């Protein structure tokens, strides 16, 4: 990982820049090894909740039922956000839609950004506003 980052950053362009890099946490191994990834200079972390929550529970991609509020799933989200904070790296949560309780926990933990499907943007903004009022009141 460190070698790859050095290669990306050392490429000479006409207008040189540093290519930002990030990690998408999609499998439990990414969470377990997150500090190692961040220590080489990753610029951001994205939690792909769709894949991560399924793989934490051993559920096939063809099955839709996933308990996103399980203790294991919430612990994993918390671990990713806290480690990201330790390295002063932004964290993003990606999910098609979000349970209000999960969203409130993410905001309380300090998630930096949230990405959802276009059809639930309005609903998600309202939920974020309500959660922030409860947390920061």
């Amino acid at each position: 990982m460190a070698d790859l980052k050095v290669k990306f950053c050392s490429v000479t362009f006409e207008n040189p820049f540093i290519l930002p890099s990030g990690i998408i946490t999609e499998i439990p191994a990414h969470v377990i090894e997150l500090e190692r990834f961040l220590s080489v200079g990753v610029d951001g972390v994205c939690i792909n909740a769709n894949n991560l929550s399924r793989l934490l529970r051993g559920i096939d991609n063809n099955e839709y039922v996933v308990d996103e509020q399980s203790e294991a799933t919430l612990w994993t989200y918390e671990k990713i956000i806290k480690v990201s904070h330790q390295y002063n790296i932004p964290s993003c949560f990606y999910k098609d839609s979000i349970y209000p309780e999960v969203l409130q926990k993410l905001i309380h933990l300090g998630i930096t950004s949230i990405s959802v499907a276009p059809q639930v943007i309005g609903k998600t903004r309202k939920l974020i506003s309500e959660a922030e009022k409860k947390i920061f009141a």
Side-chain angles (χ1 to χ4, degrees):
M1 179 78 176
D3 292 340
L4 186 60
K5 175 104 176 161
V6 169
K7 286 178 185 177
F8 275 138
C9 294
S10 65
V11 175
T12 304
F13 294 95
E14 191 171 309
N15 294 316
F17 65 95
I18 295 176
L19 184 65
S21 61
I23 181 170
I24 300 173
T25 53
E26 295 185 291
I27 61 175
H30 291 156
V31 180
I32 294 166
E33 298 187 64
L34 186 58
E35 290 191 61
R36 187 171 66 85
F37 290 122
L38 299 184
S39 69
V40 300
V42 172
D43 301 305
V45 176
C46 179
I47 301 168
N48 184 326
N50 294 324
N51 293 340
L52 187 56
S53 59
R54 281 193 166 113
L55 290 171
L56 280 168
R57 310 295 273 166
I59 297 174
D60 187 284
N61 270 342
N62 296 325
E63 296 180 45
Y64 186 72
V65 179
V66 176
D67 182 5
E68 297 167 11
Q69 299 181 68
S70 74
E71 185 177 342
T73 303
L74 294 174
W75 179 91
T76 302
Y77 298 161
E78 182 175 352
K79 167 107 173 135
I80 295 167
I81 295 167
K82 285 184 175 182
V83 170
S84 297
H85 284 186
Q86 289 172 358
Y87 284 83
N88 294 317
I89 294 173
S91 53
C92 174
F93 183 83
Y94 168 75
K95 180 76 178 99
D96 298 336
S97 61
I98 304 175
Y99 289 103
E101 299 82 9
V102 173
L103 180 63
Q104 186 169 339
K105 181 166 181 78
L106 293 170
I107 292 170
H108 180 73
L109 290 168
I111 194 77
T112 308
S113 62
I114 295 173
S115 177
V116 293
Q119 62 268 24
V120 295
I121 290 173
K123 177 183 173 186
T124 304
R125 284 183 176 156
K126 183 178 179 189
L127 290 172
I128 290 170
S129 176
E130 292 169 1
E132 286 178 340
K133 286 176 187 173
K134 288 180 184 176
I135 293 168
F136 302 114

